[in-house]
Amino acid sequence: MRRAAMNKIVVAKTAGFCFGVKRAVSIAEELAERGGGCTLGPIIHNRDVTEKLEKMGVVTVNSPEEARGTLIIRSHGVGKDVYTRLSQLGVDYIDATCPFVEKIHKIVAEHSAKGAEVLIAGDSAHPEVQGIIGHCSTAAAAVNSMEQLQELVNSQKSFGQNALIFVAQTTLDMVKWTEFKNFVKKHYTKVQIFDTICSATTNRQTEAASLAKNSHIMVVVGGRHSSNSRKLADICRAHCRTYFVENAAELDTAQIAADIESFSGDVEIGITAGASTPADIIKEVHRIMSEIKNDDMDIDFMAEVDKTFKRVYIGNRVKAYVVSVNNTEAVVDIGTKHSGYIPADELSANPNLAPKDVVKVGDEIECIVTSINDAEGVVYLSKKRVDAAAGLEKLVEASQNNTTLEGVVTAVVKGGVIVTCEGSRVFVPASHTGIPRPRKDEAETPEELAKKLETLLKKTVSLKIIEVNEARGRVVGSIKNAAKEAADAAKAKFWENIEVGQKFKGQVKSMESYGVFVDLGGVDGMVHTSELTWNRIKHPKEVVSIGDELEVYVKSFDPEKKRVSLGAKNPDDNPWTKFLKEFAVGDVVKAQIVSITPFGAFAQIIPGVDGLIHISQVALEKVVDISKYLSVGQTVEAKITEIDEEKARVSLSVKALLEEASAEEEAAEEAPADAE
Ligand code: F3S
């Protein structure tokens, strides 16, 4: 019988070390180079790696008490008590807890401190789950099957009744997690659920399921004690014949050959591996698989396997998972063997933002590879460039639709400023910034201009896009155009809504001898000098200054001529009202002469109310030239002889008092004679 053609082997892109394991192993290797130390438990579930490390001087210990030299806390993490014990013993340690696990520690610590009980989906015997429990300060339970969950609900009636949070071990099977969540939501009404399966696990499981569906045989490579590897094997078994091996030596080549024989036609084989499986073990498994003789096989499998290991090139656009963020960079997992770094200035085009303002642990972002250092296994990336490319499209759209955008002024450059908008740099020429420009006859040095432009730095501004050159990636904007459009819209709204009596608060923008102009929000109104105060003034500067804020009301307006007349006098302070309350005809007042005219003199009775002393009322005799009797500033006694409420006029008479005095004098002279 002719053997089947084994013509395809696919190695999962996500096979092998995840970010957290890669990081922990490289920390252990560095420690070995520095003279050795120990790890608290095996650094990963792979004997080959742990044996190699032991030979290099990094041994495995089982408790802080056994520590020899510097101790590494592995990616699974540990409970709070372990940190305490290490401090008590004075053990020097390096914390290689995976950031995804650290995130769960924070969640449970924070919520249990507030009284919530903690339910964990995961294997209670797994060190990661034990570490999580070690950060809980309230009751915590771990369940790894629907039976255990049901048992918990039945036996511990009070558990989680007040407040409960539900988290998952980072490597939990996603299907199981969905089942658990559905059940938990029904039985614990107050539960708060956190999806804490790490992205590396999610991607690995999704790819394994899809590969297994399309394969006749799957080989899962991983440690017996590796929970994520065991789960991968379970996932694959649901779809096809699956071999779970720790390394190439465990491959049952005879059985696999027999299996291949049993299929008719082409046979597809998939290989995946757990998070703690080194790449050279996966390659060896692939080599052995390809050596299982096949007459029709003519493919260079090593070349194929190399192809299936994900590679990166400068300029590649890749998906990255944020695994940690510090003040200078974000560390990301891009699904390759490399450690990925995005420096702070490549995270965002806005230099005012710190890395934590841009991304957080667990985010999935798109980046561009900017440099690769294969020797050190490091890749540098830029998020800023991806954002800029997407932003450029938005800027083109905004320019076509004349949309107003918002941005932050991030730099002063020759002749203008740079506004970071939609992740792109937009140049705004000085003439479009809206800062006051010198008149044609005025000179301005570049230093003076730069100083003015610096006042805009870090400010959020609205702008219009006035030019986009996609080929050159050059975008020009105008803050002035956006401001003008906003001002025009405000003016139109103003004229639509204006009413007589409407009140405004506005700034005095300019001043003339006849009044002041007040900015009512894009439209200026005029307050005549006589409308500024109840008191008699000659010039507005006596009561206001430019820049003062005035409360005004609309006296009249003309939309055609775009004119608004305003008043600023408060009716409650009207001195005429006050005068009427306090004075009556016949009262004698002391008044100060404020002006002299040919027909009489005006005298101030109270501020804002003047009375007229008609020329005929100045003296007993006939007066021709008032200035011979009265002078401005002089205080005189006079009698109120008339009050015209309608016209708000007061008549005063000095003469009336003089007549009364003279009459009294005469009476006094006559009185002694009578008595005699
Ligand atoms: Fe971390 Fe997920 Fe790996 S939790 S150690 S990245 S499997």
Side-chain angles (χ1 to χ4, degrees):
M1 197 178 90
R2 182 187 162 275
R3 286 177 70 180
M6 192 178 80
N7 59 1
K8 198 171 180 191
I9 296 179
V10 176
V11 179
K13 292 187 181 78
T14 49
F17 281 6
C18 64
F19 168 83
V21 167
K22 229 177 335 187
R23 181 166 160 260
V25 171
S26 63
I27 288 172
E29 285 169 350
E30 273 169 33
L31 188 62
E33 278 170 25
R34 295 202 326 254
C38 61
T39 64
L40 187 55
I43 191 84
I44 58 170
H45 297 300
N46 185 284
R47 274 180 309 183
D48 294 348
V49 173
T50 47
E51 279 169 18
K52 188 175 141 202
L53 280 170
E54 274 189 23
K55 281 184 198 145
M56 291 163 72
V58 180
V59 296
T60 302
V61 296
N62 295 313
S63 69
E65 286 75 11
E66 295 169 35
R68 287 154 57 182
T70 300
L71 175 144
I72 298 173
I73 296 173
R74 57 189 171 168
S75 55
H76 297 316
V78 292
K80 256 182 3 197
D81 58 324
V82 177
Y83 290 101
T84 311
R85 191 70 192 124
L86 288 169
S87 300
Q88 285 167 346
L89 295 168
V91 174
D92 177 37
Y93 68 88
I94 302 171
D95 193 350
T97 305
C98 176
F100 288 111
V101 178
E102 238 169 25
K103 190 172 152 192
I104 306 179
H105 291 175
K106 275 192 195 138
I107 292 171
V108 298
E110 200 179 300
H111 287 267
S112 63
K114 289 181 197 156
E117 290 174 318
V118 181
L119 181 57
I120 305 156
D123 180 356
S124 59
H126 192 279
E128 179 189 324
V129 175
Q130 289 171 349
I132 295 168
I133 293 173
H135 286 267
C136 301
S137 50
T138 49
V143 289
N144 205 21
S145 65
M146 287 301 286
E147 291 70 37
Q148 287 179 5
L149 192 49
Q150 186 67 63
E151 164 73 20
L152 177 81
V153 170
N154 295 342
S155 61
Q156 295 191 42
K157 299 277 184 217
S158 64
F159 181 76
Q161 290 312 309
N162 292 324
L164 179 71
I165 62 164
F166 190 27
V167 296
Q169 186 181 343
T170 52
T171 51
L172 192 76
D173 179 337
M174 290 177 331
V175 177
K176 212 176 193 183
W177 176 233
T178 308
E179 275 174 15
F180 284 179
K181 282 195 288 185
N182 291 339
F183 182 92
V184 164
K185 274 186 220 162
K186 277 187 203 145
H187 288 82
Y188 297 98
T189 49
K190 291 182 182 159
V191 70
Q192 198 176 347
I193 298 174
F194 295 88
D195 280 304
T196 50
I197 297 179
C198 82
S199 53
T201 301
T202 313
N203 294 341
R204 191 188 307 272
Q205 290 181 0
T206 308
E207 193 189 11
S210 133
L211 189 56
K213 269 183 214 159
N214 295 312
S215 301
H216 296 85
I217 294 171
M218 277 298 292
V219 179
V220 177
V221 194
R224 298 258 176 283
H225 302 292
S226 159
S227 104
N228 80 87
S229 302
R230 287 200 310 264
K231 278 163 205 160
L232 276 184
D234 289 345
I235 288 168
C236 295
R237 271 186 207 109
H239 301 288
C240 67
R241 192 167 303 167
T242 299
Y243 291 87
F244 180 28
V245 294
E246 219 165 80
N247 50 40
E250 289 189 2
L251 283 170
D252 185 346
T253 50
Q255 182 59 51
I256 293 170
D259 281 349
I260 292 166
E261 285 283 357
S262 70
F263 295 109
S264 60
D266 294 345
V267 177
E268 301 209 354
I269 296 178
I271 299 174
T272 187
S276 47
T277 310
D280 51 359
I281 294 182
I282 305 170
K283 281 196 175 182
E284 183 59 11
V285 166
H286 181 275
R287 193 183 64 76
I288 299 291
M289 289 301 293
S290 65
E291 275 179 3
I292 297 175
K293 289 288 177 223
N294 183 330
D295 293 339
D296 296 337
M297 188 178 76
D298 58 0
I299 293 174
D300 179 350
F301 283 120
M302 281 321 284
E304 280 299 298
V305 78
D306 278 345
K307 270 190 219 164
T308 53
F309 278 113
K310 191 174 166 186
R311 290 184 180 281
V312 283
Y313 302 94
I314 290 174
N316 264 172
R317 207 167 159 138
V318 294
K319 264 198 186 141
Y321 297 93
V322 179
V323 289
S324 75
V325 186
N326 58 43
N327 290 340
T328 55
E329 66 200 1
V331 184
V332 295
D333 179 9
I334 58 167
T336 69
K337 291 178 287 180
H338 304 87
S339 298
Y341 295 95
I342 311 174
D345 60 355
E346 288 297 334
L347 274 167
S348 162
N350 184 349
N352 304 327
L353 297 180
K356 67 174 175 20
D357 300 327
V358 186
V359 289
K360 58 180 189 310
V361 172
D363 280 355
E364 187 185 341
I365 55 175
E366 276 206 46
C367 301
I368 282 178
V369 177
T370 55
S371 72
I372 304 166
N373 184 336
D374 271 325
E376 290 183 10
V378 169
V379 168
Y380 288 95
L381 306 114
S382 172
K383 175 179 184 297
K384 183 172 84 172
R385 293 200 208 169
V386 174
D387 292 346
L392 192 61
E393 281 172 31
K394 287 192 187 158
L395 296 180
V396 171
E397 213 178 290
S399 139
Q400 286 163 352
N401 301 335
N402 193 30
T403 317
T404 301
L405 298 174
E406 273 208 346
V408 175
V409 180
T410 48
V412 172
V413 292
K414 195 177 168 201
V417 295
I418 297 295
V419 176
T420 298
C421 179
E422 300 291 351
S424 288
R425 285 161 63 86
V426 178
F427 173 66
V428 178
S431 58
H432 278 273
T433 55
I435 58 160
R437 306 295 299 126
R439 288 200 311 263
K440 277 186 186 144
D441 54 338
E442 283 177 349
E444 186 179 56
T445 65
E447 291 74 29
E448 285 168 340
L449 173 62
K451 215 168 179 185
K452 280 190 199 168
L453 294 173
E454 273 163 18
T455 60
L456 294 173
L457 273 177
K458 297 191 179 177
K459 286 198 176 144
T460 300
V461 292
S462 297
L463 78 163
K464 293 277 181 191
I465 303 303
I466 53 176
E467 187 191 320
V468 182
N469 183 330
E470 284 187 73
R472 291 175 59 203
R474 180 185 149 89
V475 186
V476 181
S478 172
I479 298 171
K480 196 171 88 179
N481 289 7
K484 184 173 180 316
E485 187 185 88
D488 288 348
K491 276 183 199 169
K493 200 170 168 203
F494 175 89
W495 289 112
E496 263 172 40
N497 299 323
I498 188 167
E499 283 174 10
V500 169
Q502 196 175 349
K503 289 182 179 170
F504 289 93
K505 270 188 185 169
Q507 241 188 14
V508 176
K509 268 179 71 180
S510 61
M511 189 180 290
E512 302 292 341
S513 59
Y514 53 84
V516 296
F517 289 89
V518 176
D519 179 8
L520 304 176
V523 174
D524 292 348
M526 205 268 281
V527 190
H528 192 268
T529 307
S530 62
E531 290 298 333
L532 273 172
T533 169
W534 293 104
N535 298 334
R536 181 187 292 267
I537 55 167
K538 284 188 181 144
H539 196 282
K541 67 183 176 194
E542 291 174 40
V543 287
V544 289
S545 305
I546 289 177
D548 282 358
E549 193 178 74
L550 276 191
E551 280 195 34
V552 293
Y553 66 95
V554 177
K555 285 178 72 72
S556 63
F557 62 92
D558 183 343
E560 298 283 305
K561 293 182 181 162
K562 306 280 187 240
R563 280 190 192 152
V564 189
S565 295
L566 302 168
K569 296 194 286 196
N570 183 350
D572 294 343
D573 299 336
N574 188 341
W576 182 249
T577 315
K578 199 176 162 200
F579 171 80
L580 290 178
K581 264 191 210 161
E582 292 178 12
F583 297 94
V585 171
D587 286 353
V588 175
V589 295
K590 279 192 176 162
Q592 191 178 39
I593 307 297
V594 289
S595 66
I596 290 174
T597 67
F599 57 85
F602 285 96
Q604 186 187 63
I605 304 165
I606 59 169
V609 179
D610 298 343
L612 173 67
I613 310 169
H614 191 265
I615 191 164
S616 62
Q617 299 300 314
V618 171
L620 288 170
E621 63 276 22
K622 185 174 167 66
V623 174
V624 178
D625 181 1
I626 300 173
S627 62
K628 287 192 178 150
Y629 294 82
L630 299 171
S631 57
V632 172
Q634 182 188 348
T635 302
V636 293
E637 274 206 339
K639 189 172 201 173
I640 298 172
T641 53
E642 192 186 342
I643 296 172
D644 183 338
E645 286 191 34
E646 222 168 86
K647 292 183 180 161
R649 284 184 189 160
V650 186
S651 299
L652 298 172
S653 173
V654 176
K655 186 179 165 186
L657 291 182
L658 293 172
E659 281 171 350
E660 279 174 20
S662 128
E664 275 173 25
E665 225 173 83
E666 275 172 29
E669 276 170 14
E670 281 165 20
D674 290 347
E676 278 166 10

